[in-house]
Amino acid sequence: WLLPVGLLVVWQFLSAKGIVSTAIVPAPSDIWDAARQLAERGELQHDILVSLRRVAIGFSIGALAGLIFGVAVGLFELVHELLDRSLQMIRTIPHLALVPLMILWFGIGEEPRLILVAMGSLFPVYINTVGGIRNVDPKLIELGKSYGLGRAELVWSIILPAALQPILVGIRYALGVAWLTLVVGETIASRDGV
């Protein structure tokens, strides 16, 4: 807490002394006053709820799709051969670079914002899920087979629990990307949201 609080104190001091122009970067006290005024009018709460809803919907769609694709590609060689190269090529396109196309295709409503958040969430979950499943220790799989576990039991009891840590890392990273994407998405002629 010392570093963030110290940075705020230095920022406020530099703004008060005129070293940092408040026309470029407002002082923390000005930001606090604006937030307080918006909260008193109820606008801040409304905008936070709108942004939370957008992130929840877009992140849920993207993370679920990434999880489904990741599990399928990680477990089945045929699906891996069919989908992985194409998904890897699409992944290299920065999803934020698609903003003009989203506006062209879907207008300036909710759809482009939600699709951008979903696209930003999909690939971190996908990559980490595939990597987690494909890097499960072969000795664990061999042990499960020696205990007579079938394919479904092997996946449920050994592969998915062993891959859970990378999957959760992907989900956590995807949530950060979802918020970053929302900031860009809400600059598209948005009247509400943070």
Side-chain angles (χ1 to χ4, degrees):
W1 287 103
L2 290 177
L3 182 62
V5 170
L7 288 174
L8 285 174
V9 168
V10 170
W11 179 10
Q12 179 65 39
F13 175 78
L14 293 175
S15 296
K17 293 294 182 185
I19 298 170
V20 173
S21 172
T22 56
I24 297 172
V25 180
S29 59
D30 295 339
I31 295 170
W32 176 258
D33 290 339
R36 185 179 44 76
Q37 291 170 7
L38 288 172
E40 287 172 358
R41 293 192 304 255
E43 292 178 42
L44 184 62
Q45 298 88 327
H46 169 74
D47 289 338
I48 288 173
L49 289 175
V50 168
S51 293
L52 282 172
R53 180 183 55 79
R54 288 176 179 152
V55 165
I57 293 169
F59 173 77
S60 297
I61 293 168
L64 184 61
L67 197 58
I68 291 169
F69 282 130
V71 168
V73 168
L75 291 177
F76 303 107
E77 196 60 38
L78 177 63
V79 179
H80 181 268
E81 291 298 320
L82 289 173
L83 291 180
D84 189 57
R85 285 187 188 103
S86 298
L87 287 173
Q88 293 291 353
M89 286 189 317
I90 294 169
R91 179 182 68 87
T92 61
I93 301 168
H95 67 285
L96 295 178
L98 299 175
V99 169
L101 288 175
M102 292 294 162
I103 294 171
L104 180 66
W105 292 337
F106 302 105
I108 56 172
E110 285 294 300
E111 293 85 7
R113 293 180 190 99
L114 296 177
I115 292 170
L116 283 169
V117 172
M119 286 177 64
S121 303
L122 185 143
F123 291 110
V125 175
Y126 170 75
I127 296 291
N128 282 282
T129 301
V130 171
I133 289 173
R134 293 212 162 238
N135 291 319
V136 171
D137 188 353
K139 292 177 184 176
L140 289 175
I141 296 172
E142 186 179 324
L143 179 67
K145 287 179 180 177
S146 69
Y147 275 105
L149 295 179
R151 177 74 175 166
E153 293 171 315
L154 196 63
V155 168
W156 189 253
S157 300
I158 294 180
I159 295 174
L160 288 180
L164 191 60
Q165 182 179 2
I167 292 170
L168 292 176
V169 167
I171 289 171
R172 185 177 64 201
Y173 181 70
L175 189 57
V177 173
W179 278 105
L180 173 69
T181 304
L182 181 70
V183 169
V184 174
E186 285 187 342
T187 62
I188 305 170
S190 186
R191 294 182 182 173
D192 51 8
V194 176

